[in-house]
């Protein structure tokens, strides 16, 4: 996947990935375990967590379901609601 076109997109991807990592670790799951539960490749989970991949909405729903959280929880981090 090509690099984000703006620094803002790169930062949002990074923050989304960090939030996913926090939720995954909070559930005591490895990337591989979450991937299996969400029917998403472990490498995809890794790329999302590292801000290198922007998942499609269907994948966001699958990951949220696997973590038993509402999808919006994946988008809640400090400063997520502020627009610069």
């Amino acid at each position: 996947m090509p690099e984000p076109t703006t620094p803002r997109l790169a930062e949002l991807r990074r923050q989304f990935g960090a939030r996913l990592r926090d939720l995954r670790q909070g559930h005591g799951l490895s990337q591989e375990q979450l991937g299996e539960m969400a029917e998403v490749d472990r490498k995809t989970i890794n790329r999302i967590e590292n801000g290198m991949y922007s998942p499609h909405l269907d994948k966001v729903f699958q990951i949220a379901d696997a973590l038993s959280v509402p999808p919006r929880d994946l988008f809640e981090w400090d400063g997520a609601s502020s627009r610069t």
Side-chain angles (χ1 to χ4, degrees):
M1 174 168 273
E3 288 296 312
T5 56
T6 68
R8 175 160 170 74
L9 287 177
E11 178 60 18
L12 290 171
R13 281 187 186 178
R14 188 197 65 74
Q15 290 176 334
F16 182 88
R19 177 64 175 153
L20 174 56
R21 181 180 299 112
D22 288 346
L23 287 169
R24 176 182 59 76
Q25 290 175 341
H27 282 78
L29 298 171
S30 68
Q31 289 178 345
E32 186 168 348
Q33 290 170 319
L34 177 58
E36 288 174 7
M37 293 169 64
E39 298 180 2
V40 175
D41 186 70
R42 180 205 60 84
K43 290 179 183 179
T44 299
I45 299 294
N46 180 273
R47 290 181 8 229
I48 294 168
E49 288 186 359
N50 288 304
M52 302 305 296
Y53 178 72
S54 179
H56 294 276
L57 192 55
D58 291 348
K59 281 194 183 6
V60 171
F61 292 146
Q62 288 172 249
I63 291 168
D65 285 349
L67 292 169
S68 299
V69 299
R72 73 174 172 267
D73 283 7
L74 292 166
F75 296 92
E76 292 179 349
W77 59 80
D78 291 337
S81 62
S82 64
R83 177 109 172 127
T84 55

